Every structure is written in structure tokens, then in C-alpha cells.
Amino acid sequence: NAGVTQTPKFQVLKTGQSMTLQCAQDMNHEYMSWYRQDPGMGLRLIHYSVGAGITDQGEVPNGYNVSRSTTEDFPLRLLSAAPSQTSVYFCASSYPGLAEFFGPGTRLTVL
Amino acid sequence: GENVEQHPSTLSVQEGDSAVIKCTYSDSASNYFPWYKQELGKRPQLIIDIRSNVGEKKDQRIAVTLNKTAKHFSLHITETQPEDSAVYFCAASSGNDMRFGAGTRLTVKP
């Protein structure tokens, strides 16, 4: 039981490049989410999903896309990276309405 | 949407003393309030949670209280130890949308 896994652990992009952050969970959780963590600002919700085929926007969705084709996977796509997207990204999963289990995080730098 | 405010942003205590972190929330529909601990370079991990139908919950040295009328909840750590040093986050959720406070950096001095 690996829990929540994320790849890559570190990534450096140039402005305008695109990439996908991968997230997978093996706990059969319906709910999955993506957060970004910036110094002094806590964890801010980007997008979330309550089940396969269903996604919704969180607090800071601009510049990010998500899809949920399976229960296990919830990738986050940056279409055209900007320096403001430099952050640590955490994926999380849970049963609805309960505490979330976080992945190890991806540290992204956009130059 | 929900807005969660957390205070203080930093807290320094002597080993053995108690530490209290306070949070307020804005959405009266919020019914679930977890607390997370994040050590440097690590992922946030749940340490305790409380639902809106409960006023207080305790787990060894950690306790959480909830005042629904005032829309605030607090984390209490007693007999603090150096390994309690970390950033603590409160959060509030009404079901599908978890919102976090900005965090409190707790330092326990030996």
C-alpha cells in the first residue's frame, strides 16, 4: 500500500513550457485534490475531484487543468508555465468529508 | 467560499509548557475541522480532527476545542517536547472543499 504518490519530486521549467504533475493513490479514495504551498500562505486548493469523470475548481485554479479518468489517478497540467507558479505542489486523497492523505510533494521552479 | 484565519503565525515555548493555536472560519456550513503537522521538507500529516457535533476531543497531549457559535476552534498541546516543533495548519470543510489556515510555526526550546 503506497498511499499517495507524486512524480516528479523536483522540476525546473522555463516560462511558457507545459508539463504534467502526476498523482496516484491506491486507497480507493473517491476524493482527490491538488494544493500549492507558498511561504506564509498555507495550502491553497487548486482543483479537486469527487470521483472519476468529475472535477471542480478550488481557490486558485487559473493556469491549471485537471482530469480524472480513473479513481486512482489525478494529473495536474500546467499549460504555459509562469514564474508565479513556482511553488510546492501537493496532491491529496480522502473519503469525502474526511481528512486528506497527502503525497510527498513536487517542488516546481519556473524560470 | 470558506475563509480560515489562524493565529499566531509563530509561537515559541519552553519545553514542558503548553501551546495554543487558534483558528476562525467564516462558513457556518463547515462541519469538519482537521489539524495537520508539517515538519520541514515533509508532507502535512493529520494529528487530530473534530466534527461539528462535538465540542472537544483529546488524544494524549493534544486536544482540540470547537465553538460553533463563535466559529472558532483551537489546538492545545500540553507538556510540549522539542519534537513538537513544526508548522501546524488548521482546516475547515463542509464536504468537498477543504480550506486551510496560513499555518503556525511552533518552536519548542529545550
Side-chain angles (χ1 to χ4, degrees):
Chain A
N1 193 331
V4 181
T5 58
Q6 289 183 239
T7 57
K9 290 186 178 180
F10 302 94
Q11 183 70 50
V12 179
L13 292 177
K14 295 181 179 178
T15 296
Q17 287 185 315
S18 63
M19 80 158 296
T20 300
L21 279 62
Q22 301 292 344
C23 174
Q25 53 93 8
D26 61 0
M27 296 176 283
N28 203 31
H29 286 162
E30 298 169 33
Y31 183 87
M32 296 186 74
S33 55
W34 276 101
Y35 294 88
R36 60 178 289 172
Q37 185 173 34
D38 303 294
M41 301 191 73
L43 292 145
R44 291 185 293 168
L45 182 65
I46 304 172
H47 285 285
Y48 65 94
S49 169
V50 299
I54 305 169
T55 64
D56 207 343
Q57 297 182 349
E59 187 180 357
V60 288
N62 293 341
Y64 308 95
N65 279 355
V66 292
S67 61
R68 185 93 180 271
S69 56
T70 67
T71 299
E72 295 78 19
D73 300 297
F74 191 44
L76 177 73
R77 280 183 284 277
L78 283 71
L79 300 178
S80 178
S84 60
Q85 294 178 305
T86 293
S87 189
V88 179
Y89 291 85
F90 287 100
C91 177
S93 75
S94 71
Y95 293 111
L98 293 181
E100 297 181 85
F101 291 87
F102 285 86
T106 294
R107 187 173 295 274
L108 176 67
T109 301
V110 183
L111 303 175
Chain B
E2 174 66 275
N3 182 47
V4 178
E5 294 191 357
Q6 182 172 347
H7 300 280
S9 57
T10 61
L11 179 60
S12 182
V13 300
Q14 207 68 36
E15 182 177 0
D17 287 350
S18 294
V20 180
I21 302 170
K22 299 182 179 182
C23 289
T24 60
Y25 61 99
S26 61
D27 188 354
S28 56
S30 289
N31 56 14
Y32 178 66
F33 308 91
W35 286 88
Y36 291 84
K37 175 183 180 182
Q38 187 179 28
E39 297 176 344
L40 189 63
K42 301 288 183 64
R43 73 191 79 184
Q45 292 195 304
L46 177 74
I47 54 172
I48 195 167
D49 57 6
I50 191 168
R51 292 205 166 273
S52 58
N53 59 347
V54 176
E56 184 174 354
K57 184 176 179 180
K58 189 173 182 180
D59 183 4
Q60 299 183 338
R61 297 186 296 109
I62 295 174
V64 58
T65 59
L66 171 65
N67 183 326
K68 283 191 299 182
T69 303
K71 295 200 190 83
H72 67 69
F73 55 114
S74 301
L75 178 72
H76 306 252
I77 306 174
T78 59
E79 300 172 27
T80 54
Q81 301 167 3
E83 50 265 39
D84 293 330
S85 295
V87 178
Y88 291 80
F89 294 97
C90 64
S93 171
S94 59
N96 288 333
D97 190 349
M98 186 80 72
R99 297 296 172 100
F100 285 78
T104 296
R105 182 175 300 279
L106 173 65
T107 303
V108 180
K109 294 178 285 188

